[in-house]
Amino acid sequence: QVHMVESGGGLVQAGGSLRLSCAASGRTFSTYAIGWFRQAPGKEREFVAGISWSGGTVDYADSVKGRFTISRDFAKNTVYLQMNSLKPEDTAIYYCAEDRIFKRDYVSRRTYNYNYWGQGTQVTVSS
């Protein structure tokens, strides 16, 4: 069984930065695309950023373009989300998830295309 674990969340002031990490146990996810999603109270889970299995393709939601950067370290079996210039609107629980399809060479924004999910890490941005 694959277990996804997010870490790095916390409380920061507007304009600050955080780096989220996503690690997996049970198997390597080096051959699967990885997505980051977030969910705020009373809202549906939404796509934030994703990276293809090879790391060669990335995609971002319009709301975070220019501020967030997704990357992966294959040696550490870890995916990162660097979050800069944080805004109160970024407050949410952030989740990482593994794509269902072996070596999908693009990023899907649909939650149903992701198989394994972590329990999330809370990001709170104060004004």
Side-chain angles (χ1 to χ4, degrees):
Q1 184 66 46
V2 176
H3 301 278
M4 309 292 286
V5 180
E6 303 94 340
S7 62
L11 173 63
V12 298
Q13 295 181 355
S17 298
L18 287 172
R19 188 179 74 160
L20 306 184
S21 298
C22 173
S25 62
R27 72 174 184 180
T28 178
F29 57 39
S30 63
T31 51
Y32 293 86
I34 300 294
W36 283 97
F37 296 79
R38 67 187 182 187
Q39 187 167 20
K43 298 182 179 180
E44 295 185 347
R45 190 169 299 184
E46 65 176 355
F47 172 81
V48 176
I51 188 165
S52 65
W53 75 273
S54 66
T57 301
V58 297
D59 189 31
Y60 299 94
D62 289 342
S63 60
V64 305
K65 286 182 179 178
R67 299 189 297 120
F68 291 9
T69 303
I70 189 170
S71 62
R72 63 193 308 167
D73 185 329
F74 292 98
K76 296 182 178 180
N77 199 33
T78 301
V79 173
Y80 302 100
L81 184 67
Q82 179 67 45
M83 309 164 67
N84 298 327
S85 301
L86 283 162
K87 304 175 180 179
E89 304 92 270
D90 296 318
T91 296
I93 300 174
Y94 284 70
Y95 302 88
C96 69
E98 181 185 286
D99 196 294
R100 296 180 179 273
I101 304 301
F102 179 70
K103 291 187 176 181
R104 191 199 297 271
D105 206 16
Y106 67 93
V107 175
S108 173
R109 297 185 174 190
R110 276 70 173 174
T111 59
Y112 63 77
N113 279 331
Y114 294 85
N115 193 22
Y116 299 108
W117 295 79
Q119 291 189 303
T121 185
Q122 177 70 49
V123 172
T124 302
V125 184
S126 63
S127 61

